[in-house]
Amino acid sequence: MSLGRNLKAAFQVVRALPVRTLLLALPVAASVALALATLAIDHGLSVKAQEAASSFGTDVISIRSGSKVIAGKSGAVANLTEEDVNALRSGVRGAKAVEGTRIENNVPTSAGAQSGKYTLFGVRPPWAKVRQFGAERGQFFDGDELDSAARVCVIGQTVARELYPNQDPIGQEIVINQVPFKVKGVLVSKGASPAEGDRDARIVIPLTTFFEKLYRTRLHLDQIVVQAKDATPEGLAKLDEQIATVLRQQHRIGAGQPDDFTVRLPERIAEESRGLSKDIFYLLLGLALVCGVVAILVLGVVTGQAVRSRRGEIGIRRALGATSDDILLQLWAESMVSSLLGGLIGIGLGIAGAWAIAQARQLAFGFDVLVILVPLIVVVLASLAGLFPARTAAALAPAEALRGKAA
Amino acid sequence: MLLEVTDVKKTYRDRQGQAVPALQGVSLGVAKGEFVAISGGSGCGKTTLMNVLGCLDSADAGSYRFEAEDVGSWPERKRAELRNRRIGFVFQSFHLLPFLTVRENIELPFLYSHQAERRSAAKIDELLASVGLEGMAGRYPTELSGGQQQRVAIARALVMGADLILADEPTGNLDAAMAQGVLDVFAELVRQGKTVVLVTHDPAIAARAYRRIQMEKGRIVSDIKERKEALV
Ligand SMILES: Nc1ncnc2c1ncn2[C@@H]1O[C@H](COP(=O)(O)OP(=O)(O)OP(=O)(O)O)[C@@H](O)[C@H]1O
Ligand SMILES: [Mg+2]
C-alpha cells in the first residue's frame, strides 16, 4: 500500500472521467465559496462596525428622544432638554461628562458660489472631547464664543472639500441657513458609518448660537451623550439604569409606562453599524453548511455507486497485486481529487466574490486565519464520505469481486 | 513441484443459506514447465479451483503450497505480492480496463509492485510484438478485436515475469481461428519454460495441452499426461 501508486491509479480514472470529476467538485466548490465569502464579508463588516463604535467612543452612551429611535434619525417627539442634561449631571454618579446636542439635518449652506446641505450640530466645547471630534486644523470654538453666541463654526472635511475647493476654509465666511458665520477650523475625518451616514458632512456651531441666531423657536435637544467613568459592560449597564431612572423622573413617566427616550450603549451602536445582521450571517453560513452536507452526501453516494459498478475493475486490480487497502486508498484518492478541485475552485470563487463585495461596499478585505480550515474540513470530510461504501467492496476476496461483471 | 494442493475443499452458501459444495477434496501437483488443461461440465468447480491456485480466494480446508511455501495460510498482503510477481491471469472476458490504453493496461501490475523496477517503453513494445500486437500500444481496448484484447491480457499477465499463467476459459469468447492464435502464444510460453494452467470446455483446445485433467462434481476424475515433445 502506498499513496503514490494509488494516486496514479486515481488520476488515470479521473482523467478518463473529467465531467464526473467536475460535477462532484461543484457542490464542494459552492460550499467552500459560500462559507469563505460569508466569513470574509462578515469580517470586513465587523472591522467596520468596530471602527464605527470606537469613533463614536467606546465609553459613550447616546440618548435620543422617542421610544423607538431608528438609527441616525431623531425620534418623533423632541423632548430632551437642558434640564435633562442638568439632572443627569447631578443625578448620575457614573458619568464623567454629560453633553446635550441639537441636530438639524439638511441645512442649506453656501460659501461664495458653492452650496450644499449638511447636518448642523449645536454643542458646547467639551462635546468635542467626549465624541473625540475636535478640530484637525484651525481651532474648535471656546467657552467665550459659546457664552457670546458667536457666529463661528467648525466644518467637516466633506463640507470643506465641497464648499472650498482648492482653498483653505479657515477664516473664510460661510452662510448657514442665511446667517453668515466664520469658519474656525476643520474637523477630524470620521468617514461614513451605516448608522450615521457621512460623518464628515457636518458643521458644528455653539449651542447658544444655534438657539439664539438660527432656530429660535425649537429649543429642545436631539441627543445627549454621556461619557462613562467605568466603560466595562457592568459599568455601562449600571450607568444605563441610572440614566433611565433620572430621565423617567424628569419626564414624569409613571410605573409601567414605556420610556419616551432611547439609550444606546456602545455595543448597540456597533451592532447597528454592522450592516450584515447576525441572522443573515447565520443564514448564509447555514446555507454553506447545507451545501457542504450535500457535497459530502453526493461524493458518498457516487463513490458507493462507482464501487458497485466497478467491482470488475476492483477484481482485476486485486488479481494484479492490489491489496484491499490499495483499493480503498485509490477510491479515497479519486474523491480527494474531486473535492480538492472543488475546494480550489471554491477558494477562488469565494475570495473573488468577497473581494468584489469589499470593493463595492468599501470594506476592509481580510480573513481570519482560521478561515483556511473551512475548505480543509469540507474537502477532507467529502473525500472520506466515499470510504464507507468503498470499505465492503475493497474487503471482498478478489475472486468475489471478479465474479461481478467485467470492467 | 511448482504448486501443490492437497485435499482442498470449498463450499459456498447460496442466498437461501444452502451449502453448495464446489470443491470436495482436490489434490493436484503441477511441475514447472507443465501445460495443463482442466475440463469438465459447467459448475463442476473449475473456476473455484483456479481461484484457489491464483490466491484469489481461499479454500475452506486442505493446503496449498507454492514452491513449497504454505501460501494458503499467508496473510492477504503477501498473497497480493505473490499474485503480482509470480502469477499471471487471463480471463474469459479479457478484463482490461476500458479507460486505459493498451500500454497502460499492460503496465498496470507495476502499480502494485513492491520492487522499484523500471518499466521501459521498449520492454512493453517487445512484449506486444511477442503476442503479435506491434504498434497497438496507444489504442484503447474497444478499438481491438476479441483476439487482440486477449493478447493484451496475456501481455499484462507476463509483464512482471510471472512463471505461472492461470487462464480460465481464455478462448471462450473467441472464434476458432482467434482461439488457435491465442493457444499458439501459450504454447510458445510453455516452450520458454513458463507453466500454464488453462480451463476449457473445448476438446480441440484441451488437446493442445500436454496434460489433461477432467473434473466432475468438485473432484478430479482423470489426469492424463503426455510427453511434452509430442505436441509442440
Ligand atoms: N460465490 C458463489 N456463491 C455460491 N455458489 C457459488 C459461488 N461461486 C460458485 N458457486 C457454485 O459452485 C459451483 C462451482 O462453481 P465454479 O464457478 O467453480 O464452476 P465452473 O466449473 O467454473 O463452471 P463453468 O464451467 O460454468 O464456469 C457451482 O455449483 C456454482 O454454482
Ligand atoms: Mg468457470
Side-chain angles (χ1 to χ4, degrees):
Chain A
M1 176 173 96
S2 98
L3 185 57
R5 66 199 205 191
N6 292 303
L7 257 181
K8 183 175 173 189
F11 271 115
Q12 287 179 334
V13 172
V14 163
R15 186 198 60 190
L17 301 164
V19 176
R20 193 193 78 160
T21 306
L22 205 64
L23 281 179
L24 286 179
L26 284 183
V28 177
S31 137
V32 167
L34 201 55
L36 282 191
T38 306
L39 290 173
I41 291 164
D42 184 67
H43 175 83
L45 286 170
S46 48
V47 166
K48 194 164 176 172
Q50 228 78 67
E51 281 167 6
S54 66
S55 73
F56 194 89
T58 48
D59 57 350
V60 178
I61 291 176
S62 152
I63 306 161
R64 291 249 179 180
S65 53
S67 56
K68 269 222 176 90
V69 174
I70 299 155
K73 299 180 182 71
S74 5
V77 278
N79 56 8
L80 293 175
T81 62
E82 276 299 319
E83 285 80 61
D84 292 337
V85 173
N86 291 331
L88 288 168
R89 279 200 181 122
S90 55
V92 176
R93 255 167 296 126
K96 199 194 277 179
V98 180
E99 285 301 321
T101 315
R102 175 76 174 85
I103 303 170
E104 196 70 30
N105 290 309
N106 295 318
V107 177
T109 308
S110 64
Q114 313 293 328
S115 67
K117 288 190 169 170
Y118 304 105
T119 303
L120 190 64
F121 275 62
V123 306
R124 260 182 282 262
W127 174 88
K129 225 178 139 199
V130 173
R131 290 285 321 258
Q132 295 166 12
F133 212 167
E136 185 180 272
R137 289 181 292 126
Q139 259 143 17
F140 209 84
F141 48 82
D142 56 28
D144 290 344
E145 284 159 327
L146 178 77
D147 291 343
S148 63
R151 286 183 277 108
V152 290
C153 68
V154 197
I155 63 176
Q157 301 206 351
T158 301
V159 183
R161 196 176 58 245
E162 288 176 0
L163 295 189
Y164 304 96
N166 317 315
Q167 247 192 92
D168 185 4
I170 292 164
Q172 303 282 345
E173 193 187 73
I174 186 168
V175 180
I176 303 171
N177 207 14
Q178 295 169 352
V179 178
F181 279 73
K182 198 178 122 193
V183 177
K184 280 208 78 182
V186 176
L187 294 163
V188 293
S189 174
K190 291 250 171 179
S193 101
E196 295 183 295
D198 181 0
R199 284 171 296 187
D200 294 332
R202 287 178 178 175
I203 300 172
V204 183
I205 63 172
L207 190 58
T208 48
T209 317
F210 204 115
F211 289 142
E212 289 169 30
K213 306 273 163 63
L214 278 173
Y215 295 96
R216 266 164 276 198
T217 50
R218 286 178 260 167
L219 297 179
H220 65 278
L221 295 172
D222 294 289
Q223 182 183 38
I224 299 173
V225 289
V226 180
Q227 189 173 27
K229 278 180 188 152
D230 173 9
T232 62
E234 305 84 62
L236 290 171
K238 209 180 279 170
L239 196 55
D240 182 14
E241 227 169 84
Q242 294 173 358
I243 290 168
T245 311
V246 169
L247 283 185
R248 285 177 73 87
Q249 209 168 7
Q250 277 289 118
H251 293 186
R252 295 188 177 76
I253 299 170
Q257 293 296 111
D259 294 347
D260 63 353
F261 54 88
T262 303
V263 180
R264 294 189 310 157
L265 303 184
E267 70 267 27
R268 269 292 289 154
I269 294 165
E271 250 168 60
E272 278 168 23
S273 312
R274 212 160 178 283
L276 184 63
S277 82
K278 274 288 167 201
D279 292 347
I280 294 176
F281 174 69
Y282 286 126
L283 184 76
L284 287 175
L285 269 196
L287 216 59
L289 193 73
V290 168
C291 279
V293 170
V294 167
I296 289 164
L297 285 180
V298 165
L299 268 156
V301 167
V302 168
T303 311
Q305 236 154 30
V307 162
R308 246 165 283 139
S309 64
R310 287 166 63 190
R311 257 173 84 151
E313 178 195 335
I314 292 171
I316 298 165
R317 292 185 187 273
R318 294 293 306 276
L320 298 180
T323 63
S324 46
D325 287 342
D326 281 321
I327 301 300
L328 265 186
L329 215 53
Q330 179 196 330
L331 291 169
W332 174 72
E334 282 177 28
S335 39
M336 192 68 182
V337 170
S338 278
S339 29
L340 215 54
L341 183 71
L344 289 178
I345 296 175
I347 289 172
L349 286 179
I351 290 180
W355 185 82
I357 291 173
Q359 289 294 311
R361 293 202 45 183
Q362 300 189 321
L363 296 174
F365 176 67
F367 287 97
D368 216 304
V369 192
L370 287 178
V371 159
I372 54 160
L373 284 178
V374 172
L376 223 63
I377 289 171
V378 175
V379 165
V380 167
L381 283 184
S383 70
L384 285 180
L387 283 191
F388 285 92
R391 268 195 359 232
T392 31
L396 284 178
E400 203 62 24
L402 278 167
R403 253 160 42 88
K405 265 295 290 160
Chain B
M1 280 295 138
L2 176 67
L3 62 88
E4 189 162 25
V5 289
T6 314
D7 201 22
V8 159
K9 292 183 178 140
K10 176 90 185 173
T11 301
Y12 294 107
R13 302 230 158 248
D14 63 15
R15 270 178 219 286
Q16 285 78 39
Q18 292 277 297
V20 181
L23 295 179
Q24 311 197 52
V26 171
S27 297
L28 169 69
V30 177
K32 194 164 155 39
E34 277 197 289
F35 187 1
V36 185
I38 301 176
S39 304
S42 183
C44 70
K46 304 181 296 293
T47 297
T48 307
L49 177 60
M50 292 291 268
N51 286 341
V52 171
L53 297 183
C55 287
L56 295 174
D57 210 347
S58 39
D60 298 337
S63 73
Y64 176 23
R65 293 182 180 277
F66 187 95
E67 287 187 337
E69 299 260 17
D70 184 15
V71 298
S73 63
W74 276 7
E76 171 53 22
R77 191 185 50 74
K78 279 184 80 178
R79 285 157 65 88
E81 196 178 340
L82 182 78
R83 293 195 296 270
N84 178 254
R85 302 203 63 75
R86 308 297 304 277
I87 306 174
F89 295 93
V90 180
F91 301 98
Q92 177 172 359
S93 46
F94 320 137
H95 279 334
L96 301 175
L97 297 190
F99 50 84
L100 298 182
T101 62
V102 164
R103 183 186 300 283
E104 288 166 337
N105 264 290
I106 294 174
E107 286 177 345
L108 214 45
F110 285 107
L111 217 51
Y112 302 110
S113 160
H114 291 258
Q115 260 82 350
E117 58 263 86
R118 275 307 318 140
R119 56 186 177 289
S120 69
K123 185 179 165 194
I124 304 280
D125 289 336
E126 201 179 296
L127 200 54
L128 276 173
S130 74
V131 296
L133 289 176
E134 274 132 323
M136 301 207 178
R139 296 219 198 163
Y140 283 89
T142 48
E143 300 164 349
L144 300 176
S145 76
Q148 289 170 328
Q149 289 186 51
Q150 197 59 299
R151 286 154 190 264
V152 175
I154 294 171
R156 183 179 66 189
L158 296 173
V159 73
M160 300 298 292
D163 21 33
L164 173 63
I165 306 295
L166 297 176
D168 193 348
E169 301 203 36
T171 58
N173 284 357
L174 304 178
D175 65 33
M178 285 203 262
Q180 287 303 329
V182 166
L183 256 291
D184 290 341
V185 175
F186 283 133
E188 172 60 21
L189 291 175
V190 173
R191 204 184 56 75
Q192 290 168 9
K194 308 262 186 211
T195 309
V196 174
V197 178
L198 67 81
V199 167
T200 181
H201 282 297
D202 186 345
I205 301 292
R208 294 199 55 176
Y210 316 138
R211 179 177 173 191
R212 289 186 290 281
I213 291 173
Q214 193 70 29
M215 284 183 74
E216 244 172 63
K217 289 184 182 149
R219 290 196 174 86
I220 292 177
V221 292
S222 80
D223 187 341
I224 303 161
K225 276 184 214 184
E226 292 178 22
R227 287 174 56 229
K228 198 168 179 174
E229 294 79 9
L231 284 152
V232 173

